[in-house]
């Protein structure tokens, strides 16, 4: 059965369509067009979202939890609670992201996350609860620089080897889609090359690399950068470092935490100008405390204090309580980007960076995963697989 959606505008997100028609059948988009001159299919129900905007569902490729749930510990049957919470912020797909922890604990978490990903795949359009789906795993650690580890515990950082990567890969049953790695640590280039060969999006980050070393990482197969500016060798005009590589190399997409806390708003603007509308990606790096009262929370093995919207552990920032809809609105304010371009950085660009084909776009044949926004970017409704009314 077909359902027809309309609103005042639609972002594909590369194009803007005025007075759009979005037709959905069996959880998939079967038509995206302008309403003018089109016949609305006779007996199909029409859902009119008035002056709202239809946009692809947001994709968050770096997040650690939310709604009180920590993804290093959560069991697969708890994930729907998180998935539901995420849809209230426009997210329809996400990458559960690990933190450095004992290898056994990490492998146990990866097995649980693989279960959750496979359950979401099997449920597909027959799932009845409307929830964002885990699409793949992001390994943030254990291959990070000691000097730029942030809050990742130093005792759980390890030098990259193909053996350890293989162990993590097996535990995750091949669902690793993203790997954050410091290119300067011994063994990194071999693991970068092997992960890239397996179509993992290799992202340089938590790194103290000089520019030339960061470039070797890219030459070995890295194609992305993790929370630009945070946990990176700082930019110095006589010591360009990894940040200059990230900002100037068009082979790289890059992400940023646009909460105004991790990176000052004018520097977010600098980042967006450097990477442009095609290569800038928004992430939240949100933790279990997101959507919860302030207090003490767990991030894997790390205790985090949440106060005044800031997450800290031992004086360092420890993730965020940012939601993706806010990140999108922040970009329209910090850099005066249009809502369409800001939406692109939360949809098509992460999909492209992470190799999620057919995601992050409203096009014929794509999953009917979309969010309905007010003209100011507030979430009105989120539809997953054509469901959620
Ligand atoms: Zn993180």
């Amino acid at each position: 059965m077909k359902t027809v959606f309309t609103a005042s505008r639609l972002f594909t997100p590369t194009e803007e369509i005025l007075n759009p028609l979005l037709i959905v059948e069996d959880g998939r988009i079967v038509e995206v067009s302008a309403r003018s001159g089109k016949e609305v299919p006779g007996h199909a129900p029409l859902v009119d979202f008035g002056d709202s905007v239809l946009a692809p569902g947001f994709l968050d490729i770096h997040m650690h939890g939310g709604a009180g749930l920590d993804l290093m510990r959560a069991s697969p049957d708890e994930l729907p609670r998180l998935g539901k919470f995420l849809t209230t912020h426009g997210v329809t797909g996400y990458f559960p992201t690990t933190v450095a922890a004992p290898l056994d604990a990490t492998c146990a978490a990866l097995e649980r996350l693989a279960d959750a990903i496979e359950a979401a795949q099997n449920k597909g359009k027959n799932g009845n609860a409307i929830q964002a789906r885990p699409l793949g795993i992001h390994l943030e650690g254990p291959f990070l620089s000691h000097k730029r580890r942030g809050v990742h515990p130093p005792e759980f950082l390890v030098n990259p080897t193909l053996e350890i990567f293989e162990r993590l890969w097996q535990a995750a049953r091949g669902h690793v889609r993203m790997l954050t790695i410091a290119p300067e640590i011994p063994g990194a280039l071999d693991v970068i090359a092997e992960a890239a060969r397996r179509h993992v999006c290799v992202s340089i980050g938590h790194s103290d690399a000089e520019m030339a070393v960061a470039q070797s990482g890219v030459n070995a197969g890295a194609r992305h950068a993790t929370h630009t500016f945070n946990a990176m060798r700082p930019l110095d005009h006589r010591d360009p470092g990894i940040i200059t590589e990230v900002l100037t190399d068009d082979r790289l997409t890059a992400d940023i935490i646009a909460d105004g806390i991790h990176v000052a708003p004018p520097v977010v603007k600098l980042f967006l100008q450097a990477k442009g509308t095609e290569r800038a990606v928004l992430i939240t790096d949100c933790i279990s405390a997101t959507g919860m009262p302030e207090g003490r929370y767990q991030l894997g093995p790390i205790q985090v204090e949440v106060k005044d919207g800031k997450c800290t552990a031992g004086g360092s920032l420890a993730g965020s309580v940012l939601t993706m809809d806010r990140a999108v609105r922040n970009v329209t304010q910090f850099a005066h980007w249009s809502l369409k371009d800001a939406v692109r950085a939360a949809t098509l660009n992460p999909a492209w960076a992470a190799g999620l084909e057919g995601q992050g776009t409203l096009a014929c044949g794509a999953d009917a995963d979309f969010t309905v926004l007010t003209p100011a970017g507030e979430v009105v409704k989120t539809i997953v697989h054509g469901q959620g009314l």
Side-chain angles (χ1 to χ4, degrees), residues 330-382:
N330 283 348
V331 160
T332 66
Q333 285 162 19
F334 297 171
H336 302 291
W337 272 21
S338 67
L339 184 61
K340 171 174 154 292
D341 288 340
V343 160
R344 178 174 177 166
T347 56
L348 185 63
N349 292 1
W352 193 73
L356 295 169
E357 250 170 74
Q359 300 270 349
T361 176
L362 295 182
C364 194
D367 285 346
D369 292 347
F370 60 96
T371 188
V372 185
L373 304 171
T374 67
E378 304 277 348
V379 175
V380 175
K381 182 74 83 185
T382 299

Side-chain angles (χ1 to χ4, degrees), residues 111-128:
E111 284 170 27
R112 287 193 297 272
L113 293 172
D115 288 343
I117 289 164
E118 286 167 14
Q121 280 170 350
N122 296 335
K123 245 187 236 160
K125 61 186 183 224
N126 298 321
N128 31 27

Side-chain angles (χ1 to χ4, degrees), residues 62-64 97-99 138 140 151-152 180 206 226-227 257 283-287 299 318-320:
H62 187 149
M63 57 90 70
H64 302 281
T97 303
T98 61
V99 293
H138 179 167
E140 187 180 18
V151 298
H152 293 261
T180 292
H206 280 280
T226 295
H227 44 52
I257 309 167
I283 56 164
T284 65
D285 203 0
C286 63
I287 68 164
L299 168 60
S320 83

